[in-house]
Amino acid sequence: MTGAAGIDEAEIREELRGLRSRVPELTGAMLASADGLVLAHETPPGTEPEGLAALTAAALGVGARLSDAAARGDFRELLVRGSGGYVATYAAGGTAVLTLLAGDRVNVGRLHLEGRRAGRRLAAMMPAAPVVEARPGGGPAATTVPAGRGPAGGDEQPAALPVRSPGTARPGRRPGGGPRSSGPRSTA
C-alpha cells in the first residue's frame, strides 16, 4: 500500500518489524516526517504515535541547535534515557526520522548499530527530495537527490534533517560556524 508522497507503508512496516526482531528489547518503532507526521509505526498499546511524532520533531529542533551550538556538525541522532528505558531518534535521510523505544536492559551499542542501519535503509525507501545547495555566485540552487544520499551521493551517513532554512546565519557567527572569539580563553 502506497501512502502519502509515494511512500510504501507496507515496506516501511516490514523494516520496522525486522528491526524489532533484531533488537528484542525494542518495544516500539516509528518513522515520521521531520515536521512531525507519522509515516508508519509499530508501537505498544498506550503509546500515542501522533504525539510521539510531534515531540520527536520538537526534540529534533533542540538537538540540532545543541549540536550547532557545541560545534558538533549536523544532527544525526538523539538518545534519551528514562527510568523505564530509552527513546532513540535517528535521521532517516533528509526528510524523515526513525524513533525507537527500548526497555532499560537494551544493549545500547546494539540499539545504535541497528538504528543507524535501519535509518539508512528507510532513507532509501523515501522518495527523492530537493536538496538546496549554494551556487558559487550566491543564492540557493535546488537539485533533486535520492533520499538518504547527500549532495555528493555518498550514503555512509544519513543526511542531516532540515531544521533551519539554508543560508541563515546567526549574529555573532563566523562563516565556519563556530562562535567568534572575544579574546584569550581560560584553561582553568
Side-chain angles (χ1 to χ4, degrees):
M1 172 184 195
T2 302
I7 296 169
D8 186 348
E9 189 176 334
E11 185 179 20
I12 291 170
R13 281 181 182 266
E14 185 60 34
E15 177 62 35
L16 297 180
R17 280 189 214 100
L19 178 59
R20 290 186 67 190
S21 71
R22 291 186 302 274
V23 184
E25 296 83 7
L26 281 184
T27 58
M30 178 182 65
L31 184 69
S33 66
D35 57 356
L37 300 174
V38 176
L39 300 175
H41 70 93
E42 293 283 326
T43 54
T47 301
E48 183 184 329
E50 291 81 14
L52 184 60
L55 287 169
T56 297
L60 284 176
V62 172
R65 289 191 64 171
L66 178 62
S67 181
D68 184 48
R72 298 294 166 225
D74 294 332
F75 171 85
R76 295 285 187 235
E77 58 196 40
L78 178 68
L79 181 67
V80 176
R81 182 178 180 205
S83 61
Y86 295 86
V87 179
T89 303
Y90 303 92
T95 59
V97 61
L98 172 64
T99 299
L100 304 177
L101 309 176
D104 60 350
R105 299 190 52 84
V106 70
N107 178 321
V108 176
R110 178 68 183 226
L111 177 70
H112 282 318
L113 177 70
E114 294 295 342
R116 291 169 186 153
R117 286 178 177 169
R120 286 190 296 270
R121 284 190 295 271
L122 289 164
M125 294 177 197
M126 304 304 291
V131 173
V132 179
E133 299 174 349
R135 281 189 267 173
T143 58
T144 301
V145 177
R149 297 189 181 269
D155 60 354
E156 296 78 27
Q157 292 288 330
L161 292 168
V163 292
R164 190 169 23 137
S165 299
T168 58
R170 285 194 235 139
R173 293 286 190 170
R174 58 187 158 92
R180 290 187 178 166
S181 176
S182 60
R185 292 185 183 200
S186 170
T187 57

